[in-house]
Amino acid sequence: QVQLVQSGAGVQRPGASVKISCQASGYTFTKYSLHWVRQAPGQGLEWMGIINPSGEVTTCAQKFQDRLIMTRDTSTNTHYMELSSLTSEDTAVYYCARDGGHCESDFWGQGILVTVAS
Amino acid sequence: QSALTQPPSASGSPGQSVTISCTGSSSDVGGYNYVSWYQQHPGKAPKLIISEVSKRPSGVPDRFSGSKSGNTASLTVSGLQTEDEADYYCSSYAGSSIYVFGSGTEVTVV
């Protein structure tokens, strides 16, 4: 069965960077794109970016283009998302989600809370 | 890319139907048949319930249905059940590998 297990995050200081991992299992890692989505407390879902199946192409929402990096490690079937220059507005639950092939997120990680506070 | 517009809330009695709209533009909802819908219960990750405007993934009850007309997509939940009480989000492909979510709708079963 498809599983995405996230780890990382916690409390980060303003100006710092955070790196979240998303370990995939139950499917062929190199055949699917992966989305990153976040949700601020009490707010809606916000699409951040996507990494394509080859891992060679990433696309970010315009608001994150200067500070979001998405990578992956095929030896461990793990995706990574690094967000830099954190502010309090980056406090949110961050999700990874597999793209099922028709522009839908068919499987989601459990989410990781990132709190930005001094 | 602005968020797609959804009503903040919707409600219905058990057994009734509720329809949620998701309005975008010709650059997203109207331009592609790649609208998906997600259900999210408090404290949980979103769950895919509709893909490609109207397709239900395996295991999703047929009480959930989707449609689209022009720049507006809709999700209908028929035969409301208490477990349908949740937040619902639409999402659309917007071209050039860009995606956008709706603002979300809280469904209450009264």
Side-chain angles (χ1 to χ4, degrees), chain A residues 66-85:
Chain A
D66 294 337
R67 59 192 189 102
L68 174 62
I69 297 174
M70 293 170 285
T71 57
R72 66 176 201 171
D73 182 347
T74 55
S75 68
T76 60
N77 284 1
T78 303
H79 285 279
Y80 298 95
M81 184 278 293
E82 184 170 13
L83 188 64
S84 60
S85 303

Side-chain angles (χ1 to χ4, degrees), chain B residues 42-74:
Chain B
K44 301 294 187 181
K47 173 189 174 184
L48 177 68
I49 56 173
I50 295 287
S51 67
E52 296 182 84
V53 176
S54 60
K55 296 182 178 180
R56 269 189 320 276
S58 174
V60 174
D62 59 7
R63 303 183 290 104
F64 294 91
S65 62
S67 62
K68 190 184 85 167
S69 178
N71 297 337
T72 298
S74 299

Side-chain angles (χ1 to χ4, degrees), chain A residues 11-114:
Chain A
V11 179
Q12 307 293 329
R13 299 294 183 227
S17 297
V18 65
K19 191 170 186 177
I20 296 170
S21 64
C22 171
Q23 185 166 36
S25 61
Y27 68 97
T28 304
F29 184 74
T30 54
K31 288 192 174 180
Y32 292 85
S33 298
L34 187 112
H35 298 268
W36 289 94
V37 176
R38 76 178 186 180
Q39 186 171 36
Q43 303 300 309
L45 301 174
E46 180 177 29
W47 184 81
M48 298 180 68
I50 186 171
I51 183 167
N52 79 334
S54 71
E56 296 174 353
V57 179
T58 61
T59 304
C60 303
Q62 188 171 8
K63 69 180 289 186
F64 299 111
Q65 279 183 354
D66 294 337
R67 59 192 189 102
L68 174 62
I69 297 174
M70 293 170 285
T71 57
R72 66 176 201 171
D73 182 347
T74 55
S75 68
T76 60
N77 284 1
T78 303
H79 285 279
Y80 298 95
M81 184 278 293
E82 184 170 13
L83 188 64
S84 60
S85 303
L86 294 171
T87 72
S88 59
E89 294 186 350
D90 295 314
T91 294
V93 174
Y94 289 76
Y95 294 100
C96 58
R98 190 187 80 162
D99 187 290
H102 299 95
C103 302
E104 80 281 28
S105 294
D106 59 353
F107 290 93
W108 293 67
Q110 82 275 20
I112 286 285
L113 176 63
V114 175

Side-chain angles (χ1 to χ4, degrees), chain B residues 24-40:
Chain B
S25 69
S26 59
S27 297
D28 38 62
V29 175
Y32 306 93
N33 287 322
Y34 289 128
V35 175
S36 51
W37 289 89
Y38 302 88
Q39 178 191 62
Q40 186 181 34

